[in-house]
Amino acid sequence: MSFKNLNLIEPVMKALTAEGYTVPTPIQEQAIPHIMVGRDLQGCAQTGTGKTAAFAIPIIQNLYLQKQPVNGIKVLILTPTRELAIQIDQSFAVYGKFTRLTHTVIYGGVSQHHQVIALKKGVDVLIATPGRLLDLIGQGFIDLRRLGTFVLDEADRMLDMGFINDVKKVVVHLPKKRQTLLFSATMPPEIEKLAQSMLVNPAKAEVTPPATTVDLIEQQLYHTNKINKPDLLLHLLEDKDIRSALVFTRTKHGADKVVRVLLREKVKSAAIHGNKSQNARQAALNSFKEGKLRVLVATDIAARGIDIDDLTHVFNFDLPEVPETYVHRIGRTGRAGNSGTAIAFCTTEEKDDLRGIEKLIGRKVPVVDNHPFPAIAGDTVNKPAPARRRRY
């Protein structure tokens, strides 16, 4: 099937053609027809499957064809992080550039001044994070009574980040008669329950079973000791085939520490996490996308929404405590039909986390034994050969 078979209007097709889009991804093929006819939708699709276009394209078309224009916000897209909100806004700019639809993005961590000015001018589509949205609703700057479509994106991450109560508070401000679209990479019971409370007779689009990993991603596991993780990372980065690497740490402090180690060894890198300003995070992300940085070190919250088609490697420097998070992380590579490699470090203290991950994905992660920094039972220090040891 091609996009031409989806009965898309000329302004949308022109935008897709300009971007080189010809064939919809499975989630787009399944979701677009249902959204175009106004049905509620429950979508389950992994990161990198074209989920944003799956709802943005039909929303743009429906608004363009609206016979009775409505003043006020017509579409609300609620998403968990600033980075993802910005990327969704950019997608609407790309797919809707040959229409006259207006859109803006609001998020916390920055002054609300320019966001309020944009809202006062009037917008068709509002992309928002929960906290700033509720804040501006409370101040009287946002009226959602004329809303026609509500999109809850990355619902499972909303749950992970503790935003579900905020989501419920937002729903109170929405008209009962509306189209609701819920997208999530996984469907834990709490999200299923939320979907049942929000959606009316929804169509379902599921392109992969929940929490499965992308087949194109080669997974590798390195057993090591905590103190030697930086050395192991540097050792692996000596491979020039690792052109770009996204490294996940469990904490903000850990992310900064890894970057300090990398910079001392002349590896161009930067960290993004909640303690960084929005401008700093966006600058680091842009530098990474442009190839100016080889390594981006991130916590899970900051990394949500990173969309880089040619990311070659993902490192789990620290294994996540929540198994589903592993699926989210490694899904950052192997996107848009490309291959990718996901490398995980595991210490004795993280073996329970590893067991949870392997149970979720239904297979063992292949172990790489031949490396200079193997785990030593009962040894949390692990003193390798002096020639390899670096001092931090």
Side-chain angles (χ1 to χ4, degrees):
M1 174 183 283
S2 72
F3 278 107
K4 293 179 180 179
N5 300 124
L6 292 175
N7 297 318
L8 298 178
I9 56 176
E10 191 273 337
V12 173
M13 277 302 307
K14 186 178 178 181
L16 296 179
T17 301
E19 291 299 307
Y21 289 15
T22 56
V23 179
T25 66
I27 188 66
Q28 292 163 6
E29 183 177 339
Q30 290 185 39
I32 288 174
H34 292 301
I35 298 172
M36 284 172 59
V37 297
R39 287 196 66 178
D40 285 7
L41 181 86
Q42 179 176 325
C44 185
Q46 291 178 331
T47 298
T49 54
K51 181 162 46 70
T52 300
F55 63 77
I57 290 170
I59 284 173
I60 290 169
Q61 171 145 329
N62 286 351
L63 290 178
Y64 187 85
L65 295 176
Q66 201 170 62
K67 294 180 179 178
Q68 295 179 338
V70 176
N71 293 324
I73 297 168
K74 304 175 183 66
V75 177
L76 171 65
I77 299 164
L78 196 62
T79 192
T81 69
R82 294 176 286 188
E83 285 77 15
L84 188 55
I86 290 168
Q87 290 194 11
I88 293 172
D89 186 60
Q90 291 170 344
S91 294
F92 270 85
V94 169
Y95 306 139
K97 63 183 174 182
F98 298 114
T99 70
R100 294 185 178 181
L101 301 177
T102 57
H103 53 90
T104 196
V105 57
I106 63 172
Y107 47 81
V110 297
S111 169
Q112 70 178 41
H113 176 69
H114 293 294
Q115 297 176 3
V116 170
I117 291 175
L119 290 167
K120 286 181 176 179
K121 290 180 179 178
V123 295
D124 298 311
V125 179
L126 176 63
I127 302 106
T129 55
R132 178 53 58 90
L133 176 66
L134 288 169
D135 189 14
L136 293 183
I137 289 175
Q139 295 180 53
F141 291 120
I142 294 176
D143 182 355
L144 300 173
R145 289 176 295 179
R146 296 180 178 85
L147 190 85
T149 300
F150 172 53
V151 182
L152 179 60
D153 194 25
E154 303 282 2
D156 53 350
R157 184 52 58 175
M158 290 281 195
L159 177 67
D160 292 344
M161 295 173 63
F163 289 154
I164 290 301
N165 286 335
D166 284 345
V167 171
K168 293 176 180 177
K169 291 177 183 177
V170 169
V171 171
V172 171
H173 295 278
L174 307 181
K176 290 185 178 180
K177 186 178 180 181
R178 65 177 188 269
Q179 180 184 35
T180 302
L181 315 174
L182 182 149
F183 287 89
S184 189
T186 59
M187 284 290 171
E190 296 92 335
I191 298 304
E192 286 282 4
K193 185 177 179 180
L194 181 67
Q196 290 172 10
S197 70
M198 292 172 52
L199 305 175
V200 178
N201 188 27
K204 292 191 176 183
E206 185 172 311
V207 299
T208 55
T212 58
T213 48
V214 180
D215 290 336
L216 289 172
I217 300 173
E218 177 189 356
Q219 298 179 64
Q220 300 175 5
L221 178 67
Y222 288 75
H223 290 287
T224 189
N225 294 102
K226 182 177 180 179
I227 197 171
N228 283 329
K229 283 184 177 182
D231 284 314
L232 180 55
L233 178 61
L234 287 165
H235 167 71
L236 295 174
L237 287 173
E238 290 173 2
D239 182 355
K240 300 305 180 185
D241 287 338
I242 302 179
R243 301 187 304 277
S244 58
L246 178 59
V247 177
F248 285 99
T249 61
R250 190 172 289 183
T251 67
K252 293 174 276 193
H253 171 73
D256 288 334
K257 186 176 180 179
V258 170
V259 168
R260 287 196 296 270
V261 170
L262 294 175
L263 291 176
R264 286 172 191 164
E265 297 297 321
K266 310 301 181 185
V267 179
K268 293 182 179 179
S269 55
I272 59 171
H273 53 65
N275 285 353
K276 300 282 187 179
S277 70
Q278 173 61 23
N279 288 340
R281 288 162 67 173
Q282 200 62 42
L285 180 57
N286 290 341
S287 293
F288 187 56
K289 287 183 175 182
E290 293 166 5
K292 297 176 182 177
L293 297 176
R294 187 182 177 203
V295 178
L296 188 66
V297 185
T299 56
D300 290 297
I301 290 176
R304 197 63 167 186
I306 291 178
D307 187 0
I308 303 168
D309 287 344
D310 57 354
L311 178 64
T312 62
H313 288 72
V314 167
F315 284 84
N316 280 280
F317 188 87
D318 300 317
L319 287 181
E321 294 176 327
V322 179
E324 287 84 359
T325 300
Y326 176 82
V327 177
H328 290 306
R329 288 180 176 184
I330 73 170
R332 298 294 153 194
T333 187
R335 299 165 76 93
N338 296 322
S339 60
T341 302
I343 296 173
F345 298 166
C346 182
T347 65
T348 301
E349 296 80 7
E350 294 173 299
K351 285 189 175 179
D352 285 343
D353 298 325
L354 175 62
R355 280 191 284 269
I357 289 166
E358 292 181 331
K359 181 179 179 181
L360 179 70
I361 66 176
R363 57 173 141 166
K364 295 286 186 181
V365 180
V367 175
V368 179
D369 291 317
N370 185 23
H371 67 88
F373 305 100
I376 299 176
D379 180 9
T380 58
V381 177
N382 189 14
K383 302 177 181 62
R388 290 292 312 163
R389 190 73 190 140
R390 296 178 174 89
R391 296 298 178 187
Y392 308 115

